[in-house]
Amino acid sequence: MRPEIVMLALAVGACTWAFRALPFRFDLTGLTPEGWLSRLLAATGPAAIAALCAVSVLPLVKGAAPPAPLGAGLGAVIGLWVWRRSVVLATLGGALAYGAVFAL
Amino acid sequence: MGEARAQFAQGMVAGLPVVLGYFPIAFSFGVAASRAGFSAAETTAFSLIVYSGAAQFLAVALVAAGTPLLVAGFTLVAMGVRHLAYGPALMKHAGQGRTRRAWIWAFGLTDEVFGVALGDLARGRRFSEAFMAGLGLAAYLAWVSGSWAGALAGGGALAAYPAVEAGLGFMLPALFLALLLSILSRRQMPVILIAAGVTLGVTLAVSATAGILAGMLAGALTGALRRATA
C-alpha cells in the first residue's frame, strides 16, 4: 500500500468521523443560528456538493456522453428523488436508466 | 441486555434497504478505484477507514489526476462538513445523556443511515443507541464488502458489458446530483448557485481541481457573509 494513500485515508477518515461524532459530545445547537460560524458551517457542505456535482456533470454535457442516456439518467435521478426522497434509490435508478438507454 | 440485542437486530433489519443500495454502489467504487490504479488492499482500506461514498469516489478521481495530497485532503474534508448537521437533528429525538456511545456508532452515520434513522424516529420509534449500531453496522458491512468485491473484479471486469460499464460510470454524477437534491433549500440556493457557477467558470478556464476549490470557497463565503434573514 502506498503510504500517501494510507495517510489521505486516515486524515479524511478521522475528520469524517469527527464531523459525525462531535456534535453528540459538544452540543452545536448552542451556536447562534445566525452567527457567521453557523452560516459558514451550514454553507460549506452544500457548496462542496454543488461544486462536485457541477464538475462531474460538466464532461457529460460537453459531449463526452451520448445525450439520450444522459437525459434518461438525469431524469431518473430527479424523478426518483422527488418520488422516494432516497439518495441511494435515486443514484441506483439513475445509473440503471443510463445503462439501459445506452444499451438500446 | 435482551432489549439492547433486540434493538440491535431491529437496526440491522431496518438497514436492509441501505445494504441493497450500498453494495452495487460500493462495487462500482471498487471497479473505479481499480481502474485508477488503486490496489485491492488500498481500495478496501479506503472503505474501511473513510466510509463516505462521495468522498471516496472523489478521492480516487483526485489521486488519479495527480492532485497534491494537501489539496485533495482539504477538498475531501470540506465535503464531509455536511455531517455536522446530522448529530443535532438526532439529538432532538435522543435527549441528553442517551448518546454516551455515540463516538462508536456515529462512525457509521452516513447520509442514508441518517435518513433511515430519522424516518424511523419520525414514525414513532424510540431512540436507541443499539438500534443505531445495528443499522450502521449493516450498512458498513455492505459498503466494505462491495468495495472489496469491486476491487477484486478489477477495472477491466466489465469490458465485455459496455452498458453495465456505462451505467456504473454514471454512478458518480448520479450520486452527487442526488446528494445535491437532498440538501436543496430556498435558504441555501444562493450558496449552491454561486458554488456551481464559480466551479464551472474556473474549471473551464483553469482546471477541475482549481474549479472545485474556488467553487467551494465562494459558496461557503457566500453563506457566511450573507445577511441574516428572518
Side-chain angles (χ1 to χ4, degrees), chain A residues 1-102:
Chain A
M1 283 204 278
R2 288 167 288 177
E4 66 270 24
I5 297 293
V6 178
M7 273 177 56
L8 183 65
L10 286 172
V12 176
C15 290
T16 304
W17 170 77
F19 291 148
R20 288 172 180 167
L22 289 183
F24 294 100
R25 181 103 181 140
F26 306 103
D27 188 2
L28 295 181
T29 52
L31 282 175
T32 315
E34 293 305 332
W36 72 270
L37 183 57
S38 292
R39 295 204 304 270
L40 182 74
L41 289 176
T44 303
I49 292 169
L52 294 164
C53 186
V55 121
S56 68
V57 172
L58 185 62
L60 299 174
V61 297
K62 272 174 76 185
L70 181 60
L74 293 177
V77 172
I78 294 167
L80 284 168
W81 168 256
V82 170
W83 181 41
R84 301 298 296 181
R85 300 275 186 227
S86 162
V87 170
V88 162
L89 192 67
T91 304
L92 287 176
L96 193 66
Y98 189 97
V101 175
F102 184 90

Side-chain angles (χ1 to χ4, degrees), chain B:
Chain B
M1 191 66 183
E3 167 70 10
R5 270 191 196 163
Q7 290 283 345
F8 182 81
Q10 286 172 23
M12 292 204 88
V13 172
L16 278 179
V18 183
V19 168
L20 294 175
Y22 268 14
F23 191 88
I25 298 177
F27 184 89
S28 88
F29 164 72
V31 170
S34 176
R35 197 175 290 155
F38 280 56
S39 68
E42 287 170 347
T43 304
T44 312
F46 239 85
S47 284
L48 275 168
I49 298 167
V50 177
Y51 188 37
S52 175
Q56 289 179 225
F57 271 107
L58 182 67
V60 165
L62 291 173
V63 170
T67 307
L69 209 60
L70 207 60
V71 175
F74 172 77
T75 308
L76 297 170
V77 168
M79 265 208 80
V81 172
R82 70 184 186 279
H83 292 111
L84 277 173
Y86 297 167
L90 285 177
M91 288 277 275
K92 281 182 191 163
H93 291 275
Q96 293 291 337
R98 292 172 62 190
T99 54
R100 276 188 218 100
R101 296 187 181 85
W103 62 275
I104 301 172
W105 57 259
F107 173 78
L109 197 56
T110 62
D111 302 299
E112 277 301 314
V113 166
F114 169 73
V116 169
L118 208 59
D120 269 36
L121 291 167
R123 285 191 293 275
R125 170 178 289 281
R126 191 170 52 83
F127 179 86
S128 145
E129 291 198 288
F131 176 85
M132 292 301 303
L135 173 60
L137 184 63
Y140 182 61
L141 292 176
W143 184 260
V144 173
S145 59
S147 308
W148 181 65
L152 287 186
L158 301 170
Y161 310 97
V164 177
E165 196 167 30
L168 289 180
F170 186 69
M171 199 78 90
L172 183 60
L175 175 62
F176 284 140
L177 179 59
L179 278 174
L180 187 63
L181 290 169
S182 74
I183 53 150
L184 209 57
S185 69
R186 190 184 294 269
R187 185 176 172 74
Q188 294 293 2
M189 197 57 87
V191 171
I192 289 167
L193 289 176
I194 286 177
V198 170
T199 301
L200 289 175
V202 177
T203 297
L204 290 170
V206 187
S207 72
T209 305
I212 291 169
L213 274 176
M216 282 193 319
L217 284 173
L221 286 175
T222 302
L225 297 175
R226 205 155 49 98
R227 282 174 65 87
T229 53

